Amino acid sequence: MTVSRTERARAKINLALHVTGQRDDGYHLLDSLVVFADYGDDLTVSIVNGRADGDHRLTIQGPFADGLAVEPDNLVLRAARLFETPLPALDVTLVKNLPVASGIGGGSSDAATTISLISKICGITRPSDAALLTLGADVPVCHRGEPVRMRGIGEDLSAVPPLPDLAMVLINPGVGVSTPAVFKGLERKDNPAFSVPETGWPSTDAFIAWLHGTRNDLEAPARTITPEVERCLSVLGTHQSALFSRMSGSGATCFALFRTLEDANKAADEIRAAFPDWWICASLMGQ
């Protein structure tokens, strides 16, 4: 009998992203408030009998499947090889619903979800956070899968006070942004970190006001390199129901926060009608 399990690899959103330094090895130091949408890619991992142990095979489907290749250095297959314990043969199916290389951690979330699924169906301990970090800076935080403050190069994760219940709209104009070019375009790389109130935020309005006092330091160079980012932010920022808007990660995906999923769905429909070629998604902000 085939043992199989499916989970969602949720989109990662940087509500705030401060670049606070750079190490001698070139890695940038970050201070970021990370949350997750309730939307993402879908992954299924199955144990397959009749094949040699470790003979893992990946199938990619979905609207953005063409943006990925089934090759040994795919993050999903690399995640499967990260376990020290020998694994049985696995079939992995990735339904790629998120745009590729779009600043919302799709590949990292896929890798983290693969590790979670393998750990559960094989009944083995997952690799350490240090091992996860070798796959990419966002993989440990994606494995956590809850609102968290991420510092350093992605290894320093700490809990944050409860966030208000909000919805969001994600939009991507269908263009790529070079992450190295964005970091290279930073005017300075030793920007101040943010501070989180110890007692949390007493209301949605207080949280939104706090967000306005934070930054995404990568947004300014991304706007310069990719004018479409400017257009996305303008569309979101001027919507009458939006509470707050910003670019996520190094772009080009941008987001806006809304009080309710009904507001977010209405905004997404309106934007989709005006920009039918954009990828647009309304979702709750996961807790």
Side-chain angles (χ1 to χ4, degrees):
M1 181 179 69
T2 301
V3 179
S4 182
R5 185 164 180 152
T6 300
E7 287 185 7
R8 173 149 288 179
R10 299 186 297 157
K12 173 193 70 70
I13 313 300
N14 301 92
L15 294 186
L17 197 165
H18 294 201
V19 179
T20 58
Q22 187 173 20
R23 302 194 319 191
D24 292 340
D25 60 7
Y27 282 97
H28 291 85
L29 303 176
L30 307 177
D31 190 8
S32 181
L33 177 60
V34 174
V35 298
F36 293 85
D38 277 350
Y39 185 79
D41 297 334
D42 292 307
L43 273 143
T44 301
V45 175
S46 306
I47 296 176
V48 180
N49 297 318
R51 287 208 314 257
D53 287 355
D55 182 6
H56 309 318
R57 301 181 187 180
L58 172 64
T59 301
I60 305 176
Q61 305 170 352
F64 293 99
D66 289 346
L68 295 175
V70 179
E71 51 191 19
D73 67 346
N74 184 287
L75 268 178
V76 167
L77 293 176
R78 288 175 58 197
R81 296 197 299 268
L82 203 64
F83 287 85
E84 295 182 359
T85 303
L87 299 178
L90 302 173
D91 276 348
V92 183
T93 300
L94 167 61
V95 181
K96 193 65 186 167
N97 299 313
L98 298 175
V100 177
S102 57
I104 50 177
S108 295
S109 191
D110 293 342
T113 302
T114 299
I115 286 169
S116 175
L117 285 167
I118 291 173
S119 178
K120 290 171 183 175
I121 68 171
C122 294
I124 56 178
T125 303
R126 72 167 180 88
S128 66
D129 279 355
L132 298 186
L133 198 62
T134 65
L135 297 176
D138 284 338
V139 177
V141 72
C142 287
H143 194 277
R144 183 80 69 96
E146 61 187 13
V148 69
R149 185 177 187 180
M150 180 180 73
R151 286 177 280 191
I153 63 168
E155 82 286 2
D156 184 357
L157 305 178
S158 56
V160 295
L163 305 185
D165 292 327
L166 291 167
M168 60 175 60
V169 171
L170 307 175
I171 63 176
N172 185 285
V175 297
V177 181
S178 168
T179 298
V182 169
F183 275 100
K184 186 177 180 180
L186 283 168
E187 290 189 3
R188 56 180 294 182
K189 301 181 179 182
D190 57 347
N191 302 288
F194 57 77
S195 59
V196 175
E198 292 184 5
T199 57
W201 300 273
S203 66
T204 295
D205 289 342
F207 179 65
I208 297 300
W210 177 85
L211 278 178
H212 278 289
T214 65
R215 311 178 306 277
N216 180 349
D217 288 327
L218 302 181
E219 188 174 296
R223 285 175 184 252
T224 300
I225 295 168
T226 309
E228 288 86 349
V229 170
E230 182 76 40
R231 188 74 181 277
C232 291
L233 290 169
S234 175
V235 169
L236 289 171
T238 57
H239 194 278
Q240 66 271 21
S241 299
L243 303 175
F244 178 82
S245 60
R246 180 169 279 165
M247 186 183 80
S248 180
S250 59
T253 302
C254 300
F255 67 90
L257 299 180
F258 295 82
R259 292 189 185 276
T260 68
L261 184 58
E262 181 181 5
D263 288 344
N265 278 320
K266 182 179 179 181
D269 288 342
E270 292 170 356
I271 298 170
R272 194 176 291 113
F275 300 94
D277 294 333
W278 287 2
W279 176 78
I280 301 168
C281 171
S283 170
L284 288 172
M285 188 176 81
Q287 296 290 345

